[in-house]
Amino acid sequence: MISESSHLNLLYVTPEWVAKSKVFMNFLQKCFDKGHLKRIVIDEVHCCSTWGHDFRPEYNHLGFFKSMFPGVPILGLTATATMSVLIDIQNMLNLNDALIITAPFNRPNLYYKVINKPLDKNDCLNILEKLLKGKYKDQSGIIYTSTVKECEDISKALKDRGLKVKFYHGQLEPDVKRIIHERWLRNNYQAVIATIAFGMGIDKPDVRFVIHHAIPKSMEGLYQESGRAGRDGKKSDCILMFNLSDF
């Protein structure tokens, strides 16, 4: 546990930890009483809302921040909140007088395309191989899949075809995830074959393509995942491989 004498500028915790740990909340209260709690930032704040695509019940408990720590600024951040979700978030966090700053959803450097996804797995691999060796040769990207098995199978198959790729999913150990992420950032891997576990903290500017090998669970999910492309403002492609059987 962190001691009261710790010299910390920034502390990351999950909402699950805030909701369940009385020891941590006592520590936070002492920080506030001594004037050390300068700001509370809630990332992925759309998770507060039952209307949001990634609702997590523990975010419901964060509404007490406003009353428990009066005068401490609260900042909520998200990339994918609709107006109805924003209103819900304000109510749940007791931030009805909050200043809302929004940016347009449209990013003109991203080009969206839907292509037919063959039923035969080998034909799908042929499409991916052609894209990575042709149009996106020596360029960085992400290929999203829906299951851990599919993630690993596609990664192995593309490796066997001479491509520098690696799978990434929630069942990997934290150190393994970190190594894969770092090697991808250094372009040791051309692409990461990933489930939605490859999400938070992904901020590589030169991602030229995001391919969805399977249909995401929601439009918000599609927007958020494909939005990891082209953060340097340059032209990038967002490809959805569509087959009705994936539903």
Side-chain angles (χ1 to χ4, degrees):
M1 185 62 196
I2 302 165
S3 69
E4 293 180 41
S5 61
S6 296
H7 298 287
L8 290 174
N9 291 321
L10 183 65
L11 178 63
Y12 277 98
V13 294
T14 65
E16 288 78 8
W17 186 250
V18 172
K20 295 175 182 177
S21 176
K22 291 182 179 180
V23 174
F24 173 74
M25 288 310 301
N26 288 335
F27 168 78
L28 210 58
Q29 183 66 58
K30 289 178 181 178
C31 286
F32 173 74
D33 293 341
K34 293 182 178 182
H36 297 325
L37 188 58
K38 300 299 183 182
R39 187 169 289 102
I40 296 169
V41 180
I42 304 171
D43 197 17
E44 307 293 350
V45 75
H46 61 269
C47 296
C48 289
S49 173
T50 52
W51 297 102
H53 62 282
D54 282 330
F55 172 65
R56 285 159 64 181
E58 288 75 17
Y59 271 79
N60 271 331
H61 297 275
L62 304 184
F64 66 80
F65 279 141
K66 183 76 170 176
S67 57
M68 190 172 182
F69 307 120
V72 177
I74 298 175
L75 174 66
L77 302 169
T78 179
T80 54
T82 61
M83 188 52 64
S84 60
V85 170
L86 283 175
I87 293 170
D88 204 24
I89 291 167
Q90 282 183 278
N91 292 332
M92 296 187 72
L93 296 179
N94 300 311
L95 301 176
N96 295 318
D97 58 346
L99 172 67
I100 298 176
I101 301 173
T102 61
F105 279 97
N106 181 40
R107 290 173 57 198
N109 64 310
L110 299 188
Y111 290 78
Y112 284 81
K113 185 178 182 180
V114 180
I115 64 174
N116 181 59
K117 179 182 177 181
L119 289 173
D120 183 78
K121 290 182 180 180
N122 201 54
D123 290 340
C124 289
L125 291 168
N126 289 340
I127 292 173
L128 294 174
E129 180 186 7
K130 184 178 179 181
L131 286 170
L132 269 63
K133 288 183 176 179
K135 186 176 184 180
Y136 304 121
K137 184 180 179 182
D138 300 324
Q139 294 183 343
S140 181
I142 306 169
I143 300 173
Y144 278 108
T145 65
S146 58
T147 67
V148 168
K149 184 179 186 305
E150 197 172 51
C151 178
E152 294 186 354
D153 288 349
I154 292 173
S155 177
K156 182 180 183 304
L158 291 179
K159 265 188 176 181
D160 291 344
R161 294 172 180 232
L163 288 159
K164 293 181 179 179
V165 298
K166 186 66 178 179
F167 60 81
Y168 186 112
H169 53 68
Q171 295 180 13
L172 297 175
E173 292 296 323
D175 285 347
V176 176
K177 291 180 183 177
R178 178 182 54 79
I179 291 169
I180 294 169
H181 187 190
E182 289 174 352
R183 288 178 179 174
W184 177 67
L185 289 174
R186 295 195 301 265
N187 293 320
N188 297 129
Y189 299 131
Q190 181 184 6
V192 172
I193 320 299
T195 63
I196 58 172
F198 196 61
M200 292 178 69
I202 307 305
D203 193 22
K204 191 173 191 288
D206 61 341
V207 175
R208 295 278 73 88
F209 63 92
V210 173
I211 300 171
H212 278 89
H213 181 265
I215 300 169
K217 292 180 180 179
S218 66
M219 284 297 292
E220 291 91 349
L222 174 65
Y223 178 81
Q224 191 169 56
E225 290 153 22
S226 61
R228 293 178 181 121
R231 293 191 173 181
D232 56 4
K234 297 180 181 179
K235 180 183 180 296
S236 303
D237 293 333
C238 307
I239 299 173
L240 174 65
M241 299 180 71
F242 174 79
N243 189 298
L244 194 60
S245 65
D246 282 344
F247 277 109

